[in-house]
Amino acid sequence: MDPIASVPSNAAVSLVMPQAIPVAPAHAPRWAPLPAPRIDAVSVADVLRNGFVYPPHSIFEGVDMGSLSASLAGRDPNASYGFRYRDSGKQHDANAAPTPDWVAAYHRHLCDAISASCAEMRAPWSLQSGGKDSTTLAIALADVRPDTTCITYLGGVEENEVESARTVATTLGLDHHALVCDPGRAYDRYLELAPRMPSLTADFALLSYADLAYEIRANGGDGVIDGLGSDTYFGIPVTPQYKILKWLARGIRLPRMTTELPWVRDNFELCFALGTLQMNSVERVFPGSRFTDAEVDLLCGRDISRRSRARLVPFLAEIGSATSQEEYRVLSLSIAAAAGGFAKGIYTAEAMPMKIAYPFCDPHFCEWVYHDVPAELQMDPETGLSKVLVRQHIATRFGALPYVAHKGSFRFDVRGLARARYDQVHAFAEQAREHLPGATRWLERNRSRLDNKYHASKFYLLAVLLPWLIGRELQSPQVPLGPAGA
């Protein structure tokens, strides 16, 4: 389903449907009594295994995903989802340096991208993690949209980027808000939005997005500015951790009980490593801890995980042609970005409704960076330092910032969600027993382990997926899950 069918595939803003919505969320999804396509059983397995549905499929049988999210992630829906920004097309200049002229050109092009993508927003709010992308975006926003409010989401205990993000915003003269994650509140808001979402992704920031969208709307905002998208053409560095995980991803099928053994089940690092051992190297690039193939087959009550794995096959030739580990990682991650990263924002904006803009995906900006900026200013070939030109742009206004040196992000408290909403999700699992016969048993067996983020992340996937199975069943009670075809 394409929530923005009337928007060109290279646009950076989603369609807005200005109708009134309830201010306070309900505690259960209220699905409209409309005819609905059948939910695709293999897509359900995709969500459990990866947190999203493999492009070009959607959660619905026979319905391809909207083309815009794929285009934003650098994949061309008109060319078998091939990737646009291959390293082979970049220009090289061994003597290139991030001079003031290059920085000024970058700033000017980014300002133009913001002006174009946010033109219809009356009161924009920018997602401010304090990292490179949101900081460079804030610098340009201060020039062309000084009416922007920045908002930072404190979603977990791993990091606290609020002070750094606030410093960036206030130094630039932008208003700043912070929202502390309340998992129960975020889940209630998601349940209110879910019936109006055109399709499903279980991206690990989806509930954060739902929470933020309500907060922005309650404070008078009518649009979200998201700094997602520049990794597609700037590239992503390869870390030692990534190399280890890629080597460890062997696609070995282990017994379900492997991560439930007494000396393993409470150790996140060990569980994560054992989960990685059961993935292939491409699927390990996808974010988060997800269900293993053995668990998916038990949850679904049938041999279906292999059909989900088969959906990756059309991408493998292109990924295998990568000329570097960095390009391999970008090509792999672009699949998740299309169906998860961008989809969560597009679907949430559609459901609110509100505008959403991705300035880094403005086609003119993308093409300028890819074709005109030397590759050496995108990523340093000697040190592997990413976004050289972006860092120099930030340095014109700021000294050392902790989340520019080390990536910040919008996290979500998955363990808190399990504590706050276990009984509710268990009740959903009981109602969805026909479709996921193993869900209730998995929840009961793992309830004592949900303080381990590895198991709590899987709980999150069920919490997002189960209301869809129930809600769509209520829409069309005589229509079961579609057949387990690829």
Side-chain angles (χ1 to χ4, degrees):
M1 290 198 116
D2 193 344
I4 38 184
S6 63
V7 179
S9 63
N10 64 351
V13 186
S14 74
L15 180 70
V16 182
M17 299 164 53
Q19 66 244 26
I21 63 165
V23 174
H27 288 270
R30 296 197 297 267
W31 300 82
L34 300 173
R38 303 202 312 179
I39 289 180
D40 188 329
V42 181
S43 295
V44 170
D46 286 350
V47 171
L48 295 169
R49 296 180 66 251
N50 295 323
F52 61 86
V53 179
Y54 270 121
H57 308 280
S58 77
I59 193 65
F60 300 114
E61 181 188 343
V63 180
D64 284 356
M65 64 178 288
S67 62
L68 180 62
S69 59
S71 181
L72 293 175
R75 291 202 164 271
D76 188 352
N78 299 315
S80 302
Y81 282 77
F83 190 70
R84 288 194 191 93
Y85 304 114
R86 297 298 302 267
D87 285 355
S88 58
K90 295 184 177 183
Q91 303 300 315
H92 290 268
D93 181 354
N95 298 315
T99 62
D101 287 346
W102 272 117
V103 173
Y106 170 85
H107 182 79
R108 183 174 66 254
H109 280 88
L110 183 54
C111 287
D112 290 347
I114 291 169
S115 295
S117 60
C118 304
E120 296 184 9
M121 292 186 184
R122 174 186 51 79
W125 284 57
S126 181
L127 305 183
Q128 176 73 17
S129 71
K132 291 184 291 296
D133 296 330
S134 65
T135 299
T136 191
L137 198 57
I139 292 171
L141 283 166
D143 275 3
V144 293
R145 290 304 301 258
D147 56 335
T148 299
T149 299
C150 297
I151 186 166
T152 303
Y153 195 73
L154 184 56
V157 298
E158 295 93 341
E159 295 178 331
N160 187 341
E161 53 267 78
V162 172
E163 281 307 313
S164 179
R166 181 178 288 120
T167 296
V168 168
T170 55
T171 299
L172 295 168
L174 301 172
D175 289 339
H176 182 268
H177 285 236
L179 180 63
V180 177
C181 175
D182 177 327
R185 177 194 66 213
Y187 192 52
D188 292 344
R189 288 174 168 180
Y190 163 70
L191 292 178
E192 178 66 30
L193 288 176
R196 299 195 295 275
M197 288 183 173
S199 191
L200 173 66
T201 179
D203 183 276
F204 283 102
L206 175 65
L207 298 194
S208 304
Y209 235 91
D211 208 10
L212 283 161
Y214 268 95
E215 198 71 16
I216 290 168
R217 189 65 179 265
N219 283 278
D222 73 331
V224 177
I225 302 173
D226 192 326
L228 191 63
S230 68
D231 289 347
T232 312
Y233 42 87
F234 271 106
I236 309 172
V238 169
T239 63
Q241 180 188 39
Y242 166 80
K243 293 179 181 178
I244 293 170
L245 291 176
K246 184 182 177 185
W247 175 84
L248 189 61
R250 299 287 176 168
I252 300 171
R253 187 161 177 143
L254 301 176
R256 177 261 302 166
M257 65 178 64
T258 304
T259 56
E260 299 176 6
L261 295 169
W263 50 278
V264 175
R265 63 191 181 199
D266 297 325
N267 187 313
F268 171 75
E269 289 78 11
L270 193 50
C271 286
F272 190 86
L274 288 169
T276 296
L277 191 64
Q278 300 177 71
M279 298 178 182
N280 63 53
S281 59
V282 174
E283 292 182 332
R284 178 59 281 173
V285 174
F286 305 156
S289 301
R290 293 103 58 192
F291 288 101
T292 66
D293 287 356
E295 288 177 313
V296 169
D297 290 343
L298 285 170
L299 285 165
C300 296
R302 53 181 142 170
D303 178 10
I304 197 169
S305 60
R306 61 185 177 84
R307 299 177 186 239
S308 171
R309 285 199 314 276
R311 287 182 169 182
L312 176 61
V313 171
F315 298 97
L316 292 180
E318 181 186 50
I319 293 172
S321 71
T323 57
S324 67
Q325 290 198 68
E326 289 80 7
E327 187 173 38
Y328 185 99
R329 189 178 185 189
V330 169
L331 289 170
S332 301
L333 196 56
S334 68
I335 302 170
F342 287 106
K344 70 176 183 291
I346 293 170
Y347 297 165
T348 300
E350 171 85 1
M352 280 301 293
M354 61 170 49
K355 305 175 182 72
I356 189 165
Y358 299 97
F360 288 122
C361 298
D362 175 81
H364 301 293
F365 183 79
C366 295
E367 293 302 311
W368 177 75
V369 173
Y370 181 59
H371 289 296
D372 294 350
V373 176
E376 291 77 7
L377 298 186
Q378 297 177 37
M379 185 179 299
D380 189 307
E382 300 297 327
T383 65
L385 188 71
S386 65
K387 301 181 180 176
V388 176
L389 186 56
V390 175
R391 292 173 189 269
Q392 193 61 35
H393 181 242
I394 294 170
T396 63
R397 297 301 304 268
F398 299 98
L401 293 171
Y403 296 102
V404 170
H406 302 284
K407 183 176 177 63
S409 61
F410 287 95
R411 300 177 184 272
F412 187 79
D413 184 3
V414 292
R415 290 175 292 189
L417 177 66
R419 288 191 293 269
R421 289 292 182 264
Y422 175 86
D423 290 339
Q424 187 176 17
V425 173
H426 185 274
F428 289 158
E430 290 281 7
Q431 295 175 62
R433 190 181 290 272
E434 177 185 350
H435 303 316
L436 281 185
T440 303
R441 179 70 186 113
W442 186 91
L443 287 165
E444 293 169 352
R445 191 174 64 247
N446 287 282
R447 183 171 192 175
S448 64
R449 305 171 187 132
L450 294 179
D451 201 44
N452 179 342
K453 191 167 65 173
Y454 176 80
H455 300 292
S457 296
K458 298 176 182 181
F459 176 90
Y460 175 99
L461 295 175
L462 288 175
V464 171
L465 172 63
L466 286 167
W468 267 77
L469 299 184
I470 299 164
R472 299 297 166 172
E473 182 182 50
L474 293 176
Q475 279 192 328
S476 186
Q478 302 305 313
V479 180
L481 283 175

